[in-house]
Amino acid sequence: MVRAGLTTERLTRAGAELADEVGFDQVTVSALARRFDVKVASLYSHLRNSQDLKTKIALLALEEMADRAAEALAGRSGKDALSAFANVYRDYAREHPGRYAAAQTRLDPETAAASAGVRHSRMTRALLRGYDLAEPDQTHAVRLLGSVFHGYVSLEMGGGFSHSAPDTQQTWERVLDSLDALLRNWPEPRP
C-alpha cells in the first residue's frame, strides 16, 4: 500500500531537494525512499525507476528556470534583458546546483518538445530580437549564449576561478558587456 501523502509532484520536489544536497548523479529511487522512510516498492506507483525520477527533476528545473527568466525579462530589452536572462541561469545554478545539473540532462525528443526548454529557446530568441539578428545568425547566437552561460557557471561552481583575483562578479559583468558588444556588432560570415 502506498504511504498516504506521497504524490508524483511531492516525490519530484523531494528528489530535486536531494539533488541539490548530494548531487544529481546521486539521486535514485532508493535514496528517495530512505528520505521518506518507506520501502522502494511504495514509490513505484508514482515513479517507474530512477531515470524517470531524474527526468521529472529535469523537467521541474527547466520549468522553474523558465518561470524565473520570464519574470526577469518582462519589460526589458537589449543589454538589460541579456544581463537579466544570464543572471537567472547563474543565480539558479548557485542556489540549486543539483537541479541545474538536472536541467542539462538530454531528454528524448518528445519529452524535450513538451518541456519548458521550448520556452527557454523562445525567450532567448526574443531577447536576441533586440539585437536585430536574422537566421542563421540568431541560432548561432543562441548557441553562443548557452555555451558562455553554462561554461562560466560550471567553471565557477567547480572552483575554477577561486584561485585568482579579480572577483568572479567583476568578470561576469565583463563577460556580459562583451556579449552585448558582440551581439550589437555581429560579424559577417566568412566567405
Side-chain angles (χ1 to χ4, degrees), residues 87 90 94 152 156 166-174:
N87 286 327
R90 185 174 181 226
R94 293 163 125 186
Y152 191 93
E156 183 180 37
D167 179 70
T168 57
Q169 181 60 32
Q170 290 176 17
T171 305
W172 180 246
E173 290 168 10
R174 293 292 299 269

Side-chain angles (χ1 to χ4, degrees), residues 43-63:
L43 302 185
Y44 285 128
S45 61
H46 302 287
L47 303 165
R48 290 189 305 275
N49 52 39
S50 291
Q51 186 56 48
D52 182 42
L53 172 61
K54 287 182 172 189
T55 298
K56 288 178 181 356
I57 295 168
L59 295 172
L60 171 68
L62 288 168
E63 190 73 36

Side-chain angles (χ1 to χ4, degrees), residues 118-138:
V118 175
R119 286 176 57 208
H120 290 270
S121 178
R122 285 187 193 136
M123 285 185 280
T124 306
R125 288 177 184 281
L127 88 81
L128 288 172
R129 280 196 289 277
Y131 291 99
D132 199 29
L133 295 177
E135 284 300 345
D137 291 329
Q138 193 175 92

Side-chain angles (χ1 to χ4, degrees), residues 6-191:
L6 294 182
T7 65
T8 303
E9 181 180 348
R10 185 169 178 217
L11 292 170
T12 301
R13 290 201 174 278
E17 290 168 12
L18 183 63
D20 289 338
E21 293 167 18
V22 302
F24 182 61
D25 291 341
Q26 302 303 312
V27 174
T28 62
V29 173
S30 297
L32 192 58
R34 283 191 297 277
R35 179 165 278 222
F36 283 98
D37 195 28
V38 297
K39 295 190 183 301
V40 173
S42 65
L43 302 185
Y44 285 128
S45 61
H46 302 287
L47 303 165
R48 290 189 305 275
N49 52 39
S50 291
Q51 186 56 48
D52 182 42
L53 172 61
K54 287 182 172 189
T55 298
K56 288 178 181 356
I57 295 168
L59 295 172
L60 171 68
L62 288 168
E63 190 73 36
E64 288 175 343
M65 285 194 302
D67 290 345
R68 285 186 182 195
E71 186 176 324
L73 284 172
R76 292 190 161 106
S77 63
K79 169 114 188 303
D80 192 32
L82 175 67
S83 295
F85 192 70
N87 286 327
V88 163
Y89 285 89
R90 185 174 181 226
D91 293 346
Y92 188 84
R94 293 163 125 186
E95 293 168 31
H96 301 291
R99 293 177 205 208
Y100 180 78
Q104 309 312 309
T105 300
R106 185 179 195 138
L107 301 172
D108 67 73
E110 185 177 315
T111 303
S115 78
V118 175
R119 286 176 57 208
H120 290 270
S121 178
R122 285 187 193 136
M123 285 185 280
T124 306
R125 288 177 184 281
L127 88 81
L128 288 172
R129 280 196 289 277
Y131 291 99
D132 199 29
L133 295 177
E135 284 300 345
D137 291 329
Q138 193 175 92
T139 296
H140 296 314
V142 167
R143 292 172 180 167
L144 172 71
L145 293 180
S147 299
V148 171
F149 299 161
H150 179 65
Y152 191 93
V153 165
S154 297
L155 287 167
E156 183 180 37
M157 289 176 52
F161 303 140
S162 62
H163 60 282
S164 62
D167 179 70
T168 57
Q169 181 60 32
Q170 290 176 17
T171 305
W172 180 246
E173 290 168 10
R174 293 292 299 269
V175 165
L176 296 179
D177 288 343
S178 298
L179 286 172
D180 176 61
L182 173 63
L183 292 169
R184 281 187 283 111
N185 300 291
W186 193 259
E188 291 295 321
R190 292 182 189 180

